[in-house]
Amino acid sequence: MILATPGPVEIPLFVRKTFLNETIHHRTPEFKEILIDTLNKFKNLTHFPEAVFLTSSGTGAMEAAVINIVKNKALTINAGKFGERWGKICKAYGISYKELQYDWDTPASVDEIVAAIEDDREIDSVFIQISESAGGLRHPVEEIAAEVKLINPDIMIVADGITALGVEDIDTSNIDVVIGGSQKAFMLPPGLAMLGLSEKAVERIGKGRGFYFNLANEIKKQREGTTAFTPATSLIIALNEVLKKLEAIGLNKHYENTALRHKALIASIEAIGLSIFPQNPALSMAAVYFERAEELRKILKTKYEVNVAGGQDFMKGKLFRVNNMGLIEDYKMEHIVNSIELALDELGVREYDGTAVRVYSNEKLR
Ligand SMILES: *Cc1c(COP(=O)(O)O)cnc(C)c1O
């Protein structure tokens, strides 16, 4: 079965092999060396001076960012399931917030965010997704961050990069916190979350807040090459291998490959008459609007061994989402787009003629 969902993604063999090694203790010089090296590689990838890893899924890092960064009031951007989560976290902690809501296919408006901030001087932090996975949408985060910093450089910009880090180079010069998750573009099992932090973010965190998710404690410990609690050692060791691999390929080359594969994937899907859902598609996936998505997904899974994701919430049955994160070989993507075309034939939507694979490979060759 090909796991073609936009998280979790397939775990390459070189990563899986790392789990066969003997367990090492986390309070040892051996692990300390790996942790420091992995943090450094992650800082390099995110262009931040500071980084911490948490043993949790990505949402744990979102929660940690909210409770440690907001001092007065948050502005949260909700254009899907993951953007909605910021508000839910604020609510759970009784943190004051204002939410700007967008349709799932619509990127956040820079002007509206600027207006919201000028309108309410209590707001001291902005929370947004770089790639909102619910609708496969890319927000103009870099532009938003730059505009907000012009108004007040003390306002913290927190970007959920769970389906953006490792997919494209993010200009983090105006961003203060970026969040990553192991099971998306880092091609690992779930269970590890990462945060990249600016100097200003570390200042804002101060003594931190919370217990398990107190970022001040983690920053202090991880600077010394250790962690406050038992870390997900196996995932950190595996992340080290993933980052080494991406560095060996060349980060920029890897981003180029990802962008080219995305272009080919989108072109082949459109060539067989389907339409891409978001107005500004994220490179992490292809989110396809299709009213018979559940029937299509069933054929893909049972007949062609391809597991793609459906839509969430009110988009269930109207959307299917094909992953573009990680290291996906062309033969796999060709099988995926070909299977989609075959399934459309089976559903009586469009007669099969091999267009999807042809367009995909032509685009890749160009
Ligand atoms: C997957 C994902 C998350 C985190 O989800 P977890 O299930 O907690 O790992 C957060 N934001 C985005 C954009 C995601 O795609």
Side-chain angles (χ1 to χ4, degrees):
M1 183 77 73
I2 297 178
L3 183 61
T5 57
V9 311
E10 287 197 332
I11 304 168
L13 184 60
F14 80 89
V15 180
R16 280 179 275 142
K17 277 184 182 164
T18 66
F19 302 121
L20 297 174
N21 296 324
E22 282 178 356
T23 308
I24 63 171
H25 195 282
H26 56 290
R27 312 269 181 221
T28 55
E30 298 88 289
F31 184 70
K32 179 175 175 174
E33 192 182 320
I34 294 169
L35 177 60
I36 290 177
D37 186 55
T38 315
L39 285 166
N40 284 337
K41 286 181 160 57
F42 184 75
K43 288 179 207 169
N44 179 48
L45 182 132
T46 55
H47 318 293
F48 275 122
E50 202 77 58
V52 286
F53 299 151
L54 297 174
T55 302
S56 75
S57 82
T59 306
M62 292 173 72
E63 181 164 332
V66 169
I67 66 174
N68 285 272
I69 293 288
V70 187
K71 300 297 171 193
N72 292 314
K73 186 171 182 179
L75 177 67
T76 67
I77 310 306
N78 171 4
K81 268 290 177 218
F82 297 101
E84 180 188 40
R85 200 163 285 178
W86 301 120
K88 286 187 169 174
I89 296 167
C90 289
K91 219 178 249 172
Y93 282 92
I95 292 169
S96 156
Y97 72 101
K98 177 186 168 64
E99 180 184 85
L100 287 180
Q101 211 177 342
Y102 293 92
D103 288 338
W104 285 22
D105 65 346
T106 307
S109 145
V110 181
D111 291 346
E112 280 173 21
I113 290 171
V114 164
I117 278 170
E118 285 181 329
D119 197 49
D120 188 346
R121 295 287 165 175
E122 285 277 287
I123 292 169
D124 62 12
S125 34
V126 178
F127 293 82
I128 188 167
Q129 274 58 46
I130 299 174
S131 152
E132 168 52 83
S133 313
L137 175 72
R138 177 67 156 87
H139 282 304
V141 175
E142 298 88 337
E143 206 186 328
I144 291 165
E147 291 298 319
V148 170
K149 291 289 181 184
L150 282 180
I151 301 169
N152 180 357
D154 291 334
I155 296 177
M156 295 285 110
I157 308 290
V158 178
D160 168 357
I162 293 176
T163 52
L165 294 182
V167 171
E168 54 176 316
D169 194 22
I170 310 296
D171 174 5
T172 55
S173 49
N174 292 300
I175 296 175
D176 296 285
V177 181
V178 74
I179 296 167
S182 56
Q183 80 275 25
K184 307 285 171 83
F186 294 110
M187 301 171 276
L188 299 168
L192 186 72
M194 314 90 173
L195 295 113
L197 304 154
S198 70
E199 270 169 38
K200 264 183 123 65
V202 176
E203 260 170 55
R204 170 68 73 87
I205 289 163
K207 287 186 159 41
R209 187 180 168 190
F211 182 72
Y212 189 73
F213 287 140
N214 184 313
L215 289 178
N217 285 347
E218 285 300 340
I219 291 165
K220 182 167 174 281
K221 293 285 186 184
Q222 295 190 31
R223 276 177 181 167
E224 297 162 2
T226 186
T227 51
F229 310 103
T230 309
T233 46
S234 56
L235 295 177
I236 291 168
I237 292 165
L239 177 60
N240 191 275
E241 292 303 319
V242 168
L243 295 176
K244 264 191 217 157
K245 170 72 90 183
L246 297 184
E247 283 175 5
I249 294 167
L251 285 177
N252 286 331
K253 185 72 195 158
H254 173 65
Y255 298 141
E256 256 174 53
N257 292 343
T258 304
L260 179 60
R261 195 177 55 227
H262 187 258
K263 193 165 144 272
L265 171 62
I266 299 282
S268 79
I269 283 171
E270 287 180 335
I272 52 175
L274 294 171
S275 40
I276 298 301
F277 175 67
Q279 291 170 28
N280 187 23
L283 296 175
S284 52
M285 71 187 78
V288 186
Y289 186 86
F290 186 55
E291 298 272 355
R292 295 170 72 186
E294 289 313 291
E295 288 171 81
L296 180 107
R297 285 180 64 224
K298 192 165 172 214
I299 296 170
L300 290 180
K301 193 165 175 188
T302 53
K303 204 159 169 189
Y304 302 107
E305 305 257 338
V306 173
N307 186 3
V308 301
Q312 298 162 288
D313 207 323
F314 67 94
M315 286 307 288
K316 193 166 169 56
K318 297 195 170 86
L319 206 62
F320 71 91
R321 294 172 298 151
V322 182
N323 174 50
N324 186 43
M325 293 176 279
L327 299 163
I328 308 167
E329 299 92 336
D330 279 334
Y331 78 87
K332 273 193 185 163
M333 202 55 113
E334 284 168 4
H335 176 69
I336 293 165
V337 296
N338 191 51
S339 302
I340 294 170
E341 187 180 346
L342 285 164
L344 287 184
D345 187 318
E346 200 158 318
L347 289 171
V349 174
R350 180 188 176 281
E351 204 174 320
Y352 178 84
D353 60 6
T355 294
V357 159
R358 193 176 60 250
V359 170
Y360 180 84
S361 25
N362 282 347
E363 285 289 330
K364 284 286 306 213
L365 282 176
R366 267 203 272 169

